[in-house]
Amino acid sequence: MFMSLKLLKLRWQIFFWTITGRIQKMHSRLQLTLSQGHPESVLIVFPMDEPSFRVACYAFRDLRKKDGKRRKFIFLVKEQFEDLFHLQMGDTMFIRHSDQYTILSDEKLILQALKQYKFDIIVDLNPEFHLGISRLISFLTSDMKVGFVSDFSDHFYNIQLNISKSGIMEKGFKQINWILAQ
């Protein structure tokens, strides 16, 4: 079978960035125990496509009720969805539009703002691989980086959720809610 040219180009780009250090290496070993629960600083990156974004907003609507005020949440949301985002907790940063296979246009500004934090957990809610988001996450410090399974997720996430069997994104979002509730 022939691999699409776009996918081949993406594989080579990730390989090159890994070798040259433009993507930070992911430490694959992680022990999950209940004593590591209660993360205090959480970064959640909301999906870049509107249908997934709406499902994520619905799935995380009760996050404040479960959490109280003990955690520091930072949300990354696509600028186009600013009017649709209604979580009234934590801090929200907006990302300009970016193609799925390119670096974020405002990556440096976002990194500058986020580098001051040591996140306990970083969650990427994009069900499809998004190179710009994954690359941004690779530069941030966190013991737990959560994302969905894709051809490239091993490079960026040490906790990966697979929704391919059920095909229902909301189930994956509920699993993330469960991780955050620990």
Side-chain angles (χ1 to χ4, degrees):
M1 296 197 165
F2 293 100
M3 187 181 312
S4 74
L5 186 58
K6 213 177 224 185
L7 187 59
L8 183 62
K9 180 182 173 189
L10 187 58
R11 285 185 191 279
W12 275 107
Q13 192 172 23
I14 290 173
F15 174 74
F16 177 73
W17 284 351
T18 302
I19 287 178
T20 59
R22 292 177 67 192
I23 291 177
Q24 300 294 321
K25 286 222 177 221
M26 185 73 235
H27 300 289
S28 60
R29 295 280 182 218
L30 176 69
Q31 288 185 319
L32 289 178
T33 63
L34 292 178
S35 65
Q36 285 181 327
H38 306 295
E40 293 180 17
S41 182
V42 180
L43 173 67
I44 299 178
V45 182
F46 275 78
M48 297 293 117
D49 64 296
E50 189 170 348
S52 301
F53 176 82
R54 288 181 181 271
V55 173
C57 283
Y58 179 77
F60 287 92
R61 71 191 179 282
D62 294 331
L63 190 61
R64 183 179 191 88
K65 293 176 190 172
K66 292 178 186 175
D67 180 65
K69 295 184 179 181
R70 65 175 184 221
R71 293 188 187 145
K72 169 77 173 160
F73 282 97
I74 297 179
F75 304 106
L76 284 181
V77 177
K78 189 175 180 180
E79 196 172 54
Q80 177 183 346
F81 304 142
E82 184 173 358
D83 295 336
L84 301 173
F85 189 72
H86 299 292
L87 285 179
Q88 300 298 319
M89 59 183 286
D91 296 327
T92 305
M93 294 180 65
F94 295 100
I95 301 171
R96 287 189 219 129
H97 175 70
S98 174
D99 184 348
Q100 186 175 0
Y101 299 109
T102 60
I103 299 172
L104 298 175
S105 59
D106 49 353
E107 179 185 79
K108 287 183 182 181
L109 293 172
I110 295 169
L111 275 174
Q112 247 180 343
L114 294 177
K115 281 279 192 172
Q116 64 186 339
Y117 297 102
K118 162 64 169 96
F119 293 104
D120 295 315
I121 184 168
I122 297 174
V123 179
D124 180 5
L125 299 177
N126 285 289
E128 299 290 323
F129 179 75
H130 194 286
L131 179 63
I133 297 298
S134 298
R135 177 183 150 101
L136 176 78
I137 288 172
S138 79
F139 288 118
L140 298 174
T141 305
S142 177
D143 292 330
M144 294 174 59
K145 295 182 180 183
V146 181
F148 289 97
V149 171
S150 73
D151 291 340
F152 310 105
S153 57
D154 289 341
H155 295 280
F156 302 100
Y157 309 108
N158 54 4
I159 299 175
Q160 299 174 42
L161 304 173
N162 190 351
I163 59 170
S164 64
K165 292 179 184 175
S166 68
I168 301 172
M169 273 186 298
E170 191 172 358
K171 286 184 179 181
F173 295 154
K174 284 183 181 180
Q175 289 175 329
I176 293 170
N177 260 326
W178 181 83
I179 290 170
L180 292 175
Q182 298 302 312

